[in-house]
Amino acid sequence: IVSAMGPRAPKLGTTFFAAQLIDWAFFGLAIVGVEKVRIDPQATVMVPLDLYYYPFTHSLLASLIWALGFGLLVGFWQRNALAGALSGLVVLSHWVLDWVVHRPDLSLMGSPPYYGLGLWNYPEIAMPLEIGMTLGAYLYYVSRTRGPAAPPLILLGFMLVLQAFNWFAPHPEAAGLGLYLQALVAFGVLTAIAAWVGGNRTFVLRGGLAAPSL
């Protein structure tokens, strides 16, 4: 949605990376043992991950720091304050969306109390909500941009396949390097496809005119 807000909004690849930045950092830190996760089938109905130590990425304070840092980086790199501000907000939105679906394992500053509405324990609500948000964002983006139809459809298909895999594939028996690398590769492919899509579309101005590509 953010990438379709105007010609000076951050590009689609940037917003995809921003939306996943907190998880990029988490899995990177998990690889070196700084943050920790284990498999627990009782964690939630949908996601068997016991995220028992991740204060440097998933506390609200840490999310604010990551958002500020990424927003400043984008703003200076692109010489576009609006793109930087919007990119930072996308990073921060990760914590808010996690708060909706996680069990209470999110902190404000890295220590108790912990927060989370636990929607992953209610698949009949969480699944339609996640699919609805994905489809809604897709329809908004394609309605506000102009370009070949195939690339965004490929992106949508890839997102739906990843979502289905996350929901229905057999869960790993243990957390480890393979799981972390699998997640990072999926993020990387998704971001690369998003960047490709954004590079082939232009923002639609009022009256049907087109602005530079997003």
Side-chain angles (χ1 to χ4, degrees):
I1 291 177
V2 169
S3 292
M5 293 177 64
R8 292 187 60 77
K11 296 182 179 181
L12 191 63
T14 301
T15 56
F16 264 70
F17 184 80
Q20 301 168 96
L21 176 60
I22 299 300
D23 283 343
W24 275 100
F26 166 71
F27 285 110
L29 291 175
I31 288 174
V32 297
V34 174
E35 295 197 322
K36 303 179 184 298
V37 58
R38 57 195 167 207
I39 302 298
D40 178 6
Q42 305 303 316
T44 64
V45 172
M46 295 177 62
V47 180
L49 298 181
D50 178 12
L51 300 153
Y52 64 96
Y53 187 75
Y54 56 167
F56 305 112
T57 57
H58 281 73
S59 67
L60 181 57
L61 175 61
S63 296
L64 284 167
I65 294 171
W66 285 102
L68 178 61
F70 188 71
L72 289 172
L73 178 64
V74 171
F76 281 114
W77 183 265
Q78 298 185 7
R79 297 182 180 180
N80 182 343
L82 178 61
L86 291 175
S87 297
L89 288 174
V90 172
V91 174
L92 187 59
S93 73
H94 187 109
W95 192 93
V96 178
L97 294 174
D98 275 356
W99 170 72
V100 174
V101 295
H102 279 223
R103 68 177 183 172
D105 59 15
L106 298 166
S107 67
L108 297 181
M109 300 183 69
S111 58
Y114 295 106
Y115 302 90
L117 297 182
L119 208 60
W120 276 337
N121 282 317
Y122 305 93
E124 67 278 7
I125 300 175
M127 287 183 176
L129 179 62
E130 292 185 23
I131 291 295
M133 290 177 62
T134 300
L135 293 177
Y138 169 81
L139 292 173
Y140 180 80
Y141 180 76
V142 297
S143 72
R144 295 279 289 169
T145 59
R146 178 182 296 166
L153 285 173
I154 292 171
L155 176 61
L156 176 64
F158 188 75
M159 287 192 294
L160 294 177
V161 167
L162 284 181
Q163 191 67 75
F165 181 85
N166 185 51
W167 286 342
F168 304 118
H171 297 307
E173 295 183 359
L177 181 60
L179 175 64
Y180 308 150
L181 292 178
Q182 177 181 294
L184 292 175
V185 169
F187 295 159
V189 173
L190 189 60
T191 301
I193 296 175
W196 170 60
V197 172
N200 285 279
R201 299 190 71 81
T202 53
F203 176 72
V204 178
L205 301 171
R206 292 181 180 178
L209 301 175
S213 61
L214 296 168

